[in-house]
PDB file of all heavy atoms in Angstrom:
ATOM      1  N   PRO A 110     -15.678  14.646  12.805  1.00  0.00           N
ATOM      2  CA  PRO A 110     -14.595  14.590  11.835  1.00  0.00           C
ATOM      3  C   PRO A 110     -14.209  15.835  11.064  1.00  0.00           C
ATOM      4  O   PRO A 110     -13.045  15.893  10.625  1.00  0.00           O
ATOM      5  CB  PRO A 110     -15.123  13.511  10.830  1.00  0.00           C
ATOM      6  CG  PRO A 110     -15.999  12.656  11.692  1.00  0.00           C
ATOM      7  CD  PRO A 110     -16.672  13.582  12.663  1.00  0.00           C
ATOM      8  N   PRO A 141     -15.865   7.901  19.339  1.00  0.00           N
ATOM      9  CA  PRO A 141     -17.018   8.414  18.594  1.00  0.00           C
ATOM     10  C   PRO A 141     -18.342   7.887  19.119  1.00  0.00           C
ATOM     11  O   PRO A 141     -18.352   6.736  19.615  1.00  0.00           O
ATOM     12  CB  PRO A 141     -16.777   7.955  17.145  1.00  0.00           C
ATOM     13  CG  PRO A 141     -15.293   7.655  17.098  1.00  0.00           C
ATOM     14  CD  PRO A 141     -14.938   7.203  18.448  1.00  0.00           C
ATOM     15  N   TYR A 142     -19.392   8.623  18.977  1.00  0.00           N
ATOM     16  CA  TYR A 142     -20.700   8.119  19.285  1.00  0.00           C
ATOM     17  C   TYR A 142     -21.292   7.408  18.063  1.00  0.00           C
ATOM     18  O   TYR A 142     -20.822   7.578  16.950  1.00  0.00           O
ATOM     19  CB  TYR A 142     -21.661   9.241  19.768  1.00  0.00           C
ATOM     20  CG  TYR A 142     -21.442  10.571  19.125  1.00  0.00           C
ATOM     21  CD1 TYR A 142     -21.793  10.784  17.791  1.00  0.00           C
ATOM     22  CD2 TYR A 142     -20.879  11.633  19.841  1.00  0.00           C
ATOM     23  CE1 TYR A 142     -21.612  12.021  17.205  1.00  0.00           C
ATOM     24  CE2 TYR A 142     -20.712  12.865  19.245  1.00  0.00           C
ATOM     25  CZ  TYR A 142     -21.059  13.062  17.931  1.00  0.00           C
ATOM     26  OH  TYR A 142     -20.852  14.271  17.335  1.00  0.00           O
ATOM     27  N   HIS A 144     -23.572   6.872  15.009  1.00  0.00           N
ATOM     28  CA  HIS A 144     -24.051   7.910  14.112  1.00  0.00           C
ATOM     29  C   HIS A 144     -24.300   7.276  12.727  1.00  0.00           C
ATOM     30  O   HIS A 144     -23.868   6.172  12.462  1.00  0.00           O
ATOM     31  CB  HIS A 144     -23.001   9.025  13.946  1.00  0.00           C
ATOM     32  CG  HIS A 144     -21.692   8.528  13.410  1.00  0.00           C
ATOM     33  ND1 HIS A 144     -20.790   7.877  14.166  1.00  0.00           N
ATOM     34  CD2 HIS A 144     -21.136   8.611  12.174  1.00  0.00           C
ATOM     35  CE1 HIS A 144     -19.699   7.577  13.457  1.00  0.00           C
ATOM     36  NE2 HIS A 144     -19.918   7.997  12.219  1.00  0.00           N
ATOM     37  N   HIS A 145     -25.016   8.003  11.891  1.00  0.00           N
ATOM     38  CA  HIS A 145     -25.003   7.671  10.484  1.00  0.00           C
ATOM     39  C   HIS A 145     -24.990   8.952   9.667  1.00  0.00           C
ATOM     40  O   HIS A 145     -25.425  10.013  10.124  1.00  0.00           O
ATOM     41  CB  HIS A 145     -26.142   6.756  10.044  1.00  0.00           C
ATOM     42  CG  HIS A 145     -27.532   7.261  10.273  1.00  0.00           C
ATOM     43  ND1 HIS A 145     -28.443   6.586  11.108  1.00  0.00           N
ATOM     44  CD2 HIS A 145     -28.169   8.360   9.841  1.00  0.00           C
ATOM     45  CE1 HIS A 145     -29.535   7.278  11.116  1.00  0.00           C
ATOM     46  NE2 HIS A 145     -29.429   8.362  10.364  1.00  0.00           N
ATOM     47  N   ASN A 146     -24.414   8.865   8.483  1.00  0.00           N
ATOM     48  CA  ASN A 146     -24.223  10.060   7.641  1.00  0.00           C
ATOM     49  C   ASN A 146     -25.431  10.206   6.718  1.00  0.00           C
ATOM     50  O   ASN A 146     -25.781   9.258   6.027  1.00  0.00           O
ATOM     51  CB  ASN A 146     -22.932   9.922   6.851  1.00  0.00           C
ATOM     52  CG  ASN A 146     -21.748   9.599   7.725  1.00  0.00           C
ATOM     53  OD1 ASN A 146     -21.694  10.032   8.856  1.00  0.00           O
ATOM     54  ND2 ASN A 146     -20.823   8.821   7.209  1.00  0.00           N
ATOM     55  N   GLU A 151     -18.863   6.754   3.748  1.00  0.00           N
ATOM     56  CA  GLU A 151     -17.670   6.979   4.581  1.00  0.00           C
ATOM     57  C   GLU A 151     -16.735   5.788   4.422  1.00  0.00           C
ATOM     58  O   GLU A 151     -17.101   4.636   4.783  1.00  0.00           O
ATOM     59  CB  GLU A 151     -18.129   7.133   6.025  1.00  0.00           C
ATOM     60  CG  GLU A 151     -16.994   7.247   7.022  1.00  0.00           C
ATOM     61  CD  GLU A 151     -17.531   7.160   8.469  1.00  0.00           C
ATOM     62  OE1 GLU A 151     -18.496   7.924   8.796  1.00  0.00           O
ATOM     63  OE2 GLU A 151     -17.046   6.324   9.239  1.00  0.00           O
ATOM     64  N   MET A 153     -12.897   4.252   5.334  1.00  0.00           N
ATOM     65  CA  MET A 153     -11.825   4.480   6.291  1.00  0.00           C
ATOM     66  C   MET A 153     -10.691   3.492   5.993  1.00  0.00           C
ATOM     67  O   MET A 153     -10.943   2.295   5.781  1.00  0.00           O
ATOM     68  CB  MET A 153     -12.355   4.238   7.709  1.00  0.00           C
ATOM     69  CG  MET A 153     -11.501   4.721   8.756  1.00  0.00           C
ATOM     70  SD  MET A 153     -11.838   6.438   9.164  1.00  0.00           S
ATOM     71  CE  MET A 153     -12.257   6.242  10.870  1.00  0.00           C
ATOM     72  N   HIS A 176     -18.840   2.537   5.271  1.00  0.00           N
ATOM     73  CA  HIS A 176     -20.138   2.698   5.881  1.00  0.00           C
ATOM     74  C   HIS A 176     -20.982   3.577   4.960  1.00  0.00           C
ATOM     75  O   HIS A 176     -20.785   4.822   4.926  1.00  0.00           O
ATOM     76  CB  HIS A 176     -19.984   3.356   7.279  1.00  0.00           C
ATOM     77  CG  HIS A 176     -19.117   2.567   8.192  1.00  0.00           C
ATOM     78  ND1 HIS A 176     -18.246   3.159   9.075  1.00  0.00           N
ATOM     79  CD2 HIS A 176     -19.010   1.241   8.383  1.00  0.00           C
ATOM     80  CE1 HIS A 176     -17.605   2.184   9.772  1.00  0.00           C
ATOM     81  NE2 HIS A 176     -18.047   1.036   9.355  1.00  0.00           N
ATOM     82  N   PHE A 180     -26.182   4.128   7.039  1.00  0.00           N
ATOM     83  CA  PHE A 180     -25.849   2.932   7.826  1.00  0.00           C
ATOM     84  C   PHE A 180     -25.353   3.344   9.169  1.00  0.00           C
ATOM     85  O   PHE A 180     -24.340   3.983   9.312  1.00  0.00           O
ATOM     86  CB  PHE A 180     -24.789   2.120   7.065  1.00  0.00           C
ATOM     87  CG  PHE A 180     -24.387   0.852   7.813  1.00  0.00           C
ATOM     88  CD1 PHE A 180     -25.208  -0.233   7.809  1.00  0.00           C
ATOM     89  CD2 PHE A 180     -23.165   0.792   8.512  1.00  0.00           C
ATOM     90  CE1 PHE A 180     -24.843  -1.398   8.529  1.00  0.00           C
ATOM     91  CE2 PHE A 180     -22.798  -0.337   9.194  1.00  0.00           C
ATOM     92  CZ  PHE A 180     -23.631  -1.453   9.225  1.00  0.00           C
ATOM     93  N   HIS A 182     -23.510   3.280  12.563  1.00  0.00           N
ATOM     94  CA  HIS A 182     -22.293   2.595  13.023  1.00  0.00           C
ATOM     95  C   HIS A 182     -21.692   3.364  14.164  1.00  0.00           C
ATOM     96  O   HIS A 182     -22.042   4.525  14.418  1.00  0.00           O
ATOM     97  CB  HIS A 182     -21.347   2.413  11.844  1.00  0.00           C
ATOM     98  CG  HIS A 182     -20.914   3.716  11.216  1.00  0.00           C
ATOM     99  ND1 HIS A 182     -21.732   4.385  10.325  1.00  0.00           N
ATOM    100  CD2 HIS A 182     -19.833   4.472  11.402  1.00  0.00           C
ATOM    101  CE1 HIS A 182     -21.112   5.493   9.943  1.00  0.00           C
ATOM    102  NE2 HIS A 182     -19.980   5.572  10.570  1.00  0.00           N
ATOM    103  N   GLY A 183     -20.728   2.728  14.835  1.00  0.00           N
ATOM    104  CA  GLY A 183     -20.080   3.395  15.976  1.00  0.00           C
ATOM    105  C   GLY A 183     -19.185   2.385  16.644  1.00  0.00           C
ATOM    106  O   GLY A 183     -18.794   1.359  16.077  1.00  0.00           O
ATOM    107  N   MET A 209      -9.683   8.953   6.283  1.00  0.00           N
ATOM    108  CA  MET A 209     -11.071   8.752   5.974  1.00  0.00           C
ATOM    109  C   MET A 209     -11.439   9.562   4.685  1.00  0.00           C
ATOM    110  O   MET A 209     -10.979  10.699   4.528  1.00  0.00           O
ATOM    111  CB  MET A 209     -11.964   9.263   7.106  1.00  0.00           C
ATOM    112  CG  MET A 209     -13.459   9.002   6.889  1.00  0.00           C
ATOM    113  SD  MET A 209     -14.456   9.500   8.317  1.00  0.00           S
ATOM    114  CE  MET A 209     -14.496  11.265   8.054  1.00  0.00           C
ATOM    115  N   ASP A 211     -14.908  10.775   2.789  1.00  0.00           N
ATOM    116  CA  ASP A 211     -16.346  10.879   2.735  1.00  0.00           C
ATOM    117  C   ASP A 211     -16.708  11.372   1.357  1.00  0.00           C
ATOM    118  O   ASP A 211     -16.191  12.410   0.890  1.00  0.00           O
ATOM    119  CB  ASP A 211     -16.851  11.889   3.768  1.00  0.00           C
ATOM    120  CG  ASP A 211     -16.989  11.303   5.172  1.00  0.00           C
ATOM    121  OD1 ASP A 211     -16.583  10.139   5.362  1.00  0.00           O
ATOM    122  OD2 ASP A 211     -17.487  12.020   6.055  1.00  0.00           O
TER     123      ASP A 211
HETATM  124 FE1  FE2 B   1     -18.609   7.215  10.780  1.00  0.00          FE
END
Side-chain angles (χ1 to χ4, degrees):
Y142 34 71
H144 60 282
H145 59 240
N146 308 326
E151 175 190 309
M153 193 89 123
H176 301 142
F180 179 76
H182 58 281
M209 184 177 80
D211 278 5

